[in-house]
Amino acid sequence: MTDTPGRLLSLLSLLQMPREWPGSELARRLEVSPRTIRRDVDRLRDLGYPVEASRGSIGGYRLVAGAAMPPLLLDDDEAVAIVVGLRTAAGQAVAGIDEASMRALAKLEQVLPSRLRYRVGALGAATTTMPIEGPAVEPEVLSALAAAITNRERARFRYSTHEGAQAARHVEPYRLVTAGRRWYLVAFDLDRDAWRSFRADRITDARGTGARTTPRELPGQHDGDAAAYLQTSMYTSAPTYSADVTVHAPAATVVGRLGDTPQDVVAIDDTSCRVHRHTDTLPWIGSKLVALGCDFEVHGPPEVVEHLRLLIRRLQAGVR
Amino acid sequence: MTDTPGRLLSLLSLLQMPREWPGSELARRLEVSPRTIRRDVDRLRDLGYPVEASRGSIGGYRLVAGAAMPPLLLDDDEAVAIVVGLRTAAGQAVAGIDEASMRALAKLEQVLPSRLRYRVGALGAATTTMPIEGPAVEPEVLSALAAAITNRERARFRYSTHEGAQAARHVEPYRLVTAGRRWYLVAFDLDRDAWRSFRADRITDARGTGARTTPRELPGQHDGDAAAYLQTSMYTSAPTYSADVTVHAPAATVVGRLGDTPQDVVAIDDTSCRVHRHTDTLPWIGSKLVALGCDFEVHGPPEVVEHLRLLIRRLQAGVR
DNA sequence: CGGTATTAGGTCGTAATCTGTCCTATACCG
DNA sequence: CGGTATAGGACAGATTACGACCTAATACCG
C-alpha cells in the first residue's frame, strides 16, 4: 500500500500531535524508508506547513504553528468580530474575497476551542451576505502596496481615471485607508511632486520597485493619520459649504434619511427641525436635500441657494 | 504543475465550505480533469473523510459537517481576506468591534505560519481604518439572534422605530443578513402574523425564549435566500419604476457617478449616453439624477417626470 | 415519458513521479 | 570525540498519476 498523497496526510496528522517524532519512528509507522520521510517532510514544507526539526540525539520533527494551536484564546467579542468581519468582507469590493473569507472562516473554526467554535459556527451559519456590486479591488494590489509600504519601497502601478484613461504612476506609498467598502492609497506622487490619494479599485499592476523611500510627513495637522488626511483631502478638490436648512419633518426621520452621519439636527417642533451640515460640497448638499423627500427651506449660504437654482434649471430642462 | 498532495488539501479546503461542488467546477478550479477529481474524492474517502455526493442535475460533492480535518493552511487570498474583513469590521457599525477585531487580528497573527504572518502583518500595519459613524449593532444581539436561529427557537426583543418609539416583538427568527455595513434580521413576526425584516441596530435585549419554532418557508420565489427576500421586500414598500434618461456626459463618467451599481449605460457619442435604470423608487431616481451634476433629458415613464416636477416645486419653495 | 446533468467507475497508454539504496555534510549532545 | 539526528545529492527501476474515452446509474425537469 504505497499511496503517496495519503501518506502525506497521515504524516500531517502524526505531526499535528504535540510531540517530537524521530524520522526513523515515522518511517516505521508509515512503512517507508527514512529517506522517503525526509522527502515527505520537504514536501510538506513546500506546501507551507511549518515543520520544524531539531538535530542531535534527541532530535525529531514537529509541526510548530498554523496547525495544532490550542491557545487561540479569543474572547466572545473577538469571536463575534471575526465572523462579522469575514462575513461583511464577503460582500466587500475586493475581488474574490467572498469565497476566500468563507474558506478562511471555515478553517479558523477548526482551531477554535469548542465553546467558541459553536458560537462562531452559529453566527456564521445564521448569517447571509447580500452581495454588493461595484468595482473590485484586486487582493494582489493590496498585498503589493502593503508590502511596499512596510518595506519603505517606492511603487509603480497603472491608474485608471473614472473616464477610463490609464496612466502609469510612480509613488512613495504611505498608507492604505479603508473607508466603508472603498479602499484608498495615500501616497506621494513622484511625477507630480505632491501628495495624492488613489482609489485602490482603479489600481492595477502594482509592484514595489525596490528603491528605498525617504520618510515624508503628511501635509496638514494630521499627525500622520492617513485617514484624517484623506477625509479632508477628498473635499479640497471642491470648496465646501455649511448649509443651514429648516426641514418639515420630525428630527428623528431626518437623521435616519440623511444616512449614516449623525448631523447637527435640532428639533423645532414635532413636525420640523433645523439642519446644519458642514463641510459638504454643493452637489452633495443638493443631492441630500432632494433625497430627504419632504419640504424644506434653505436659509443660506447664498452659494447653496444658487446651486439649488441651477438644479431647478437642470430638472426643468430634463423633463421638457 | 501536477502536485497531487497539494491538490488534495485544496480539495478538502473547498469541500469544507457549506455548499455543494459539482465535479466539473472542482476540476476547473483545480485545473485537472473531472476524472482526476473523481479519483481524488475516492482517495479522500479511503482516507476516512466523509465526502458525500448527490447525483442528478443539481448534484455535487460536499463534506459532512464535523469531520476531523487535517490542519489546513490559509492561502494568500484567505490571509488577505482576514485582514480586509477584520480591518473593515473595525469601521463597522457593531458596537466595540473595532477593538475586538484588532485584538483578534493580533492573536491570529501569532498562530500563522511565518510567510503569512509577514503578509498579514504588513497589510494590517499599512492600513488605516476610517471610522464610520452611525447606529451600532450590539454584538450580544447578533450572538443571541444567531443562537436562536440555529437552535430553532423563538426570540423576543425590543425594537425602536426610526421615530424613537420602542415596542416588544415576538418572532421566529429566520436569518441574519449583512448588507454593506447594515445588519438585518429576517423573521416571522408572531404578533403581526407576517414576515418582517428588522434593522439589527434598532434591536435591543434580544433573547431566545426556548420555545421551538415550526420551520417556515420564506414567501416569494427566493428559495430560502434571505438576502434575496430582503432585497425585494425593501422595495415592496414603494413601487419601482424604470427610468429612461439621456445624460450629457461621457458614459464612463456616468457609470462612475451613479455609484457602485453598474447600470445599463449605453454610450451615444463621446459626450452623452443613455441610461436605463430599473427597479428604483422615485425618490432614488430623483436623487441620482441630481447627483449626476450634468444636464440630462428624461424620456419616461410619466411617473418619473411627474416626480421630478414635484422636486422642482420643492426646490423652488425651498430657495424662496 | 424523454432529455439532461450529475456521480461512478472501467480501461489503456504515456509520461512523470516516487522510492530505496547508496553517499556525504552538518549539527547537537554527552 | 563518537553517536545520533537532520539534510540532501545521484541514480535506476518500479510505480503511479493523468487524461481521454467509454458505459452505467441516478435524479431532476418539462
Side-chain angles (χ1 to χ4, degrees):
Chain A
M1 172 90 178
T2 81
D3 177 24
T4 316
R7 191 186 59 240
L8 271 180
L9 289 181
S10 305
L11 182 57
L12 208 46
S13 304
L14 287 176
L15 288 176
Q16 200 181 354
M17 302 175 63
R19 58 162 284 193
E20 285 221 337
W21 297 89
S24 54
E25 170 88 11
L26 293 172
R28 195 181 55 76
R29 295 182 72 119
L30 298 176
E31 296 173 344
V32 287
S33 76
R35 183 67 182 89
T36 302
I37 292 296
R38 288 200 288 276
R39 275 194 277 248
D40 286 352
V41 167
D42 257 3
R43 270 205 293 252
L44 285 182
R45 291 207 252 249
D46 279 345
L47 287 170
Y49 288 91
V51 182
E52 280 200 354
S54 44
R55 314 172 94 114
S57 349
I58 55 163
Y61 298 95
R62 70 187 175 281
L63 204 54
V64 61
M69 35 190 185
L72 183 50
L73 293 177
L74 304 174
D75 62 32
D76 290 19
D77 279 354
E78 289 158 7
V80 173
I82 286 179
V83 184
V84 167
L86 291 178
R87 268 302 187 171
T88 54
Q92 208 72 15
V94 177
I97 206 169
D98 45 354
E99 272 195 27
S101 53
M102 295 309 295
R103 290 201 308 270
L105 190 54
K107 289 177 182 174
L108 288 177
E109 217 178 304
Q110 295 284 328
V111 300
L112 290 177
S114 61
R115 185 182 59 94
L116 286 179
R117 181 161 56 232
Y118 174 77
R119 201 185 195 84
V120 164
L123 188 49
T127 305
T128 306
T129 302
M130 188 178 286
I132 306 238
E133 315 89 352
V137 183
E138 292 297 326
E140 292 83 7
V141 168
L142 292 182
S143 288
L145 291 176
I149 289 170
T150 48
N151 295 340
R152 296 192 171 72
E153 279 180 44
R154 293 181 172 177
R156 291 185 183 277
F157 54 82
R158 299 186 62 76
Y159 194 63
S160 316
T161 66
H162 55 91
E163 277 83 17
Q166 286 201 353
R169 297 294 189 121
H170 188 201
V171 303
E172 292 189 353
Y174 181 74
R175 273 303 152 77
L176 289 167
V177 180
T178 165
R181 62 173 183 279
R182 285 263 162 77
W183 284 74
Y184 298 89
L185 168 68
V186 173
F188 186 84
D189 191 319
L190 290 165
D191 299 322
R192 286 160 184 76
D193 201 45
W195 285 90
R196 291 291 156 87
S197 56
F198 303 92
R199 273 181 49 177
D201 55 286
R202 294 190 183 141
I203 295 177
T204 49
D205 301 329
R207 57 188 171 79
T209 65
R212 299 279 292 188
T213 62
T214 55
R216 291 175 196 274
E217 290 215 348
L218 270 182
Q221 296 89 357
H222 302 302
D223 199 23
D225 184 351
Y229 165 79
L230 183 64
Q231 185 115 47
T232 59
S233 81
M234 284 169 72
Y235 288 119
T236 51
S237 53
T240 60
Y241 299 91
S242 302
D244 183 15
V245 184
T246 296
V247 180
H248 296 285
T253 310
V254 171
V255 170
R257 296 221 187 128
L258 278 183
D260 317 311
T261 53
Q263 301 295 333
D264 302 31
V265 178
V266 181
I268 297 176
D269 52 40
D270 284 352
T271 62
S272 62
C273 58
R274 186 119 178 192
V275 179
H276 204 91
R277 295 185 66 110
H278 18 255
T279 62
D280 279 341
T281 60
L282 288 178
W284 188 248
I285 293 173
S287 166
K288 276 297 172 187
L289 283 177
V290 170
L292 273 176
C294 53
D295 290 335
F296 57 87
E297 289 152 33
V298 178
H299 307 294
E303 291 88 349
V304 171
V305 174
E306 191 48 48
H307 182 255
L308 293 183
R309 291 223 168 88
L310 168 66
L311 291 185
I312 291 172
R313 287 197 296 277
R314 265 201 201 128
L315 284 166
Q316 285 175 331
V319 300
R320 199 164 287 146
Chain B
M1 168 105 172
T2 93
D3 177 25
T4 317
R7 193 185 57 239
L8 279 183
L9 289 168
S10 304
L11 186 56
L12 272 178
S13 166
L14 287 175
L15 287 176
Q16 72 173 344
M17 294 178 63
R19 58 162 285 192
E20 290 222 330
W21 296 90
S24 55
E25 171 89 11
L26 294 172
R28 193 182 57 76
R29 299 182 69 118
L30 300 177
E31 296 174 338
V32 289
S33 77
R35 184 66 183 90
T36 302
I37 292 295
R38 286 200 288 276
R39 278 194 273 246
D40 286 351
V41 168
D42 261 1
R43 257 203 297 248
L44 288 182
R45 286 181 179 147
D46 281 346
L47 288 168
Y49 296 100
V51 181
E52 285 196 351
S54 45
R55 316 170 89 114
S57 321
I58 53 166
Y61 296 95
R62 71 187 172 280
L63 204 56
V64 308
M69 298 281 290
L72 292 177
L73 290 182
L74 301 171
D75 62 31
D76 291 19
D77 279 354
E78 289 157 10
V80 172
I82 288 178
V83 183
V84 167
L86 291 179
R87 270 292 173 171
T88 54
Q92 207 72 15
V94 177
I97 206 168
D98 45 354
E99 273 189 31
S101 52
M102 290 297 96
R103 289 200 309 269
L105 191 54
K107 287 183 182 176
L108 283 177
E109 218 176 298
Q110 300 289 323
V111 300
L112 290 178
S114 59
R115 187 182 57 94
L116 288 178
R117 181 159 55 232
Y118 174 77
R119 201 184 195 86
V120 164
L123 188 49
T127 305
T128 306
T129 302
M130 188 178 285
I132 307 246
E133 312 89 352
V137 184
E138 292 297 326
E140 293 81 8
V141 167
L142 292 182
S143 288
L145 291 175
I149 289 170
T150 47
N151 295 339
R152 294 191 172 74
E153 281 180 42
R154 293 180 173 179
R156 289 185 184 277
F157 54 83
R158 299 186 61 75
Y159 194 63
S160 316
T161 66
H162 55 92
E163 277 85 17
Q166 285 202 352
R169 298 294 189 119
H170 189 202
V171 303
E172 293 189 351
Y174 181 74
R175 274 301 153 77
L176 288 167
V177 180
T178 165
R181 60 175 182 278
R182 284 261 162 77
W183 284 75
Y184 298 88
L185 168 68
V186 173
F188 186 84
D189 190 320
L190 290 165
D191 299 322
R192 286 160 183 75
D193 202 44
W195 285 90
R196 290 292 157 90
S197 55
F198 302 90
R199 272 181 50 176
D201 54 286
R202 295 189 182 143
I203 296 178
T204 49
D205 301 329
R207 58 190 172 79
T209 64
R212 299 279 293 187
T213 63
T214 55
R216 292 176 195 274
E217 290 216 347
L218 270 182
Q221 297 89 355
H222 299 117
D223 198 22
D225 184 350
Y229 165 79
L230 183 63
Q231 184 116 48
T232 59
S233 81
M234 284 171 75
Y235 286 121
T236 50
S237 53
T240 62
Y241 298 92
S242 301
D244 184 13
V245 184
T246 296
V247 180
H248 295 287
T253 309
V254 172
V255 170
R257 296 220 187 127
L258 276 182
D260 317 314
T261 54
Q263 299 295 334
D264 303 31
V265 178
V266 181
I268 297 177
D269 52 41
D270 284 351
T271 62
S272 63
C273 59
R274 188 124 180 186
V275 181
H276 204 93
R277 293 184 69 110
H278 14 255
T279 62
D280 281 340
T281 61
L282 288 178
W284 188 248
I285 292 173
S287 167
K288 277 296 171 187
L289 283 177
V290 169
L292 272 176
C294 55
D295 290 336
F296 55 87
E297 290 150 32
V298 178
H299 306 293
E303 291 89 348
V304 171
V305 174
E306 189 49 46
H307 182 256
L308 293 183
R309 292 221 168 88
L310 169 65
L311 291 183
I312 292 172
R313 286 196 298 278
R314 265 200 202 130
L315 283 166
Q316 284 175 331
V319 300
R320 199 164 288 145

